Amino acid sequence: MSKTLFSLIPLLLTGSVVYGAIERVDREIPEDESPVFQIDNTALDRSNTHRFTSYADTLDKVTPAVVGVYTSRIVSVNQSARNPMEEFLRRYYGLPAPEQPAQGQDDEERSVPAGVGSGVIVSPNGYILTNNHVVTDSGEEVDEVTVQLTNGSEYDAAIIGRDPNTDVALLKIEPREELKAITMTDSEQLRVGDIVFAVGNPLEVGLTVTQGIVSAT
């Protein structure tokens, strides 16, 4: 019986995305051959599995450099009294804020969620690339930024710079230890048809990996 297998060839890393490519290999697999796990052309015994290709080993090297970015605004009690979920969704989708009653002298300030996104560590001493829209709300910088690493530790982050035109922002944290940083490469090497992985923290569901291909450059 003829089955199609795929073998992994060297990957290129750029930002929080892993670029790679696959090559098609046709082989004859006997009907009675026991199931194996195959990656990088090396077969390892695995019980109760089918023959397949995995990118887990490569992603294990990348995901520690991906972080969650959480932002908040300092608002009055009147503004923060709205339903927290409604407020979060409004800010996430960039909807205009409803009119608020005039602030009284007794109003207190509170920190309310403004948004959530992803970032990637680009230096061991704590510089992180993220999106400009993650650290802004209605075009203005948020008041507080918190970065969460894959090990669960959290740090306050400062906004070092941002560019609305390219939707890029640079953050800085003060880590208690050297961080795992992503490897940057030349994006000119990217080709249409290369496999790509988007690694991030969408809608605060936790670390996720999504696979696709480069459709155009």
Side-chain angles (χ1 to χ4, degrees):
M1 177 179 62
S2 177
K3 293 185 178 179
T4 300
L5 305 180
F6 295 92
S7 59
L8 184 65
I9 66 176
L11 299 177
L12 308 174
L13 305 184
T14 175
S16 61
V17 178
V18 184
Y19 296 112
I22 56 175
E23 59 181 0
R24 178 169 176 161
V25 182
D26 291 320
R27 296 179 183 172
E28 293 293 331
I29 303 177
E31 291 287 353
D32 60 348
E33 184 174 354
S34 59
V36 297
F37 173 84
Q38 179 166 316
I39 181 169
D40 292 334
N41 295 324
T42 301
L44 305 175
D45 290 335
R46 285 282 185 92
S47 61
N48 299 322
T49 61
H50 299 289
R51 183 180 291 272
F52 64 95
T53 298
S54 173
Y55 303 101
D57 287 347
T58 297
L59 292 170
D60 282 346
K61 302 175 183 178
V62 176
T63 51
V66 180
V67 302
V69 180
Y70 302 86
T71 62
S72 57
R73 296 295 301 269
I74 305 300
V75 299
S76 71
V77 171
N78 283 336
Q79 291 175 309
S80 62
R82 295 191 300 272
N83 182 288
M85 180 57 68
E86 177 185 346
E87 177 72 7
F88 171 79
L89 292 175
R90 182 193 68 78
R91 293 178 182 277
Y92 183 83
Y93 289 106
L95 300 177
E99 294 184 4
Q100 299 297 321
Q103 284 186 313
Q105 293 182 349
D106 296 331
D107 284 347
E108 297 180 359
E109 291 186 335
R110 292 183 184 175
S111 175
V112 298
V116 60
S118 307
V120 58
I121 301 170
V122 294
S123 70
N125 64 339
Y127 283 97
I128 296 169
L129 283 178
T130 187
N131 294 111
N132 178 68
H133 71 261
V134 172
V135 297
T136 57
D137 181 31
S138 300
E140 298 183 359
E141 284 189 8
V142 295
D143 298 313
E144 299 173 335
V145 180
T146 301
V147 168
Q148 184 179 68
L149 307 186
T150 53
N151 63 10
S153 58
E154 295 185 352
Y155 295 91
D156 293 333
I159 302 174
I160 302 301
R162 58 188 183 87
D163 180 25
N165 292 330
T166 57
D167 196 26
V168 172
L170 182 65
L171 307 178
K172 180 66 170 67
I173 64 174
E174 300 299 332
R176 293 179 285 273
E177 57 186 5
E178 189 173 275
L179 302 176
K180 173 67 176 179
I182 202 73
T183 300
M184 305 291 285
T185 65
D186 184 4
S187 61
E188 292 297 323
Q189 300 179 48
L190 192 64
R191 299 174 60 195
V192 172
D194 283 348
I195 284 181
V196 292
F197 295 91
V199 184
N201 176 36
L203 292 175
E204 203 176 355
V205 300
L207 186 68
T208 65
V209 178
T210 306
Q211 181 187 15
I213 66 168
V214 177
S215 58
T217 60

